[in-house]
Amino acid sequence: MYEYEFQQLRAADLIRRADHERQVREAARDRAAARDRAAGEAAESSAEHESQSRRLCRPRSARTA
């Protein structure tokens, strides 16, 4: 009888650990996705800023040979 109860406790503990590890992986994945989104938004805004500044520095007439 004790072996069966011990096995039930062990199985419940393993299920709890697996759930916890799954939650940790999901949280890490969510944080990475948030970082990627933030980096992408920052890159878009800096690219937009750079493209505007390049237009101002570009010569207005073509070079002569």
Side-chain angles (χ1 to χ4, degrees):
M1 186 68 176
Y2 290 114
E3 291 177 14
Y4 176 76
E5 291 174 0
F6 181 72
Q7 188 272 337
Q8 292 296 320
L9 291 173
R10 177 83 173 130
D13 183 48
L14 289 174
I15 291 170
R16 278 193 299 273
R17 285 184 186 189
D19 287 339
H20 176 71
E21 289 176 8
R22 190 177 307 112
Q23 288 175 347
V24 168
R25 284 193 306 268
E26 288 176 1
R29 193 177 313 126
D30 290 344
R31 285 193 305 267
R35 275 195 312 266
D36 290 345
R37 280 194 305 272
E41 291 171 2
E44 288 175 4
S45 66
S46 67
E48 184 177 304
H49 178 69
E50 288 177 8
S51 66
Q52 290 176 358
S53 64
R54 287 182 186 160
R55 279 188 237 143
L56 298 175
C57 296
R58 191 175 59 190
R60 295 182 183 266
S61 61
R63 286 185 152 178
T64 56

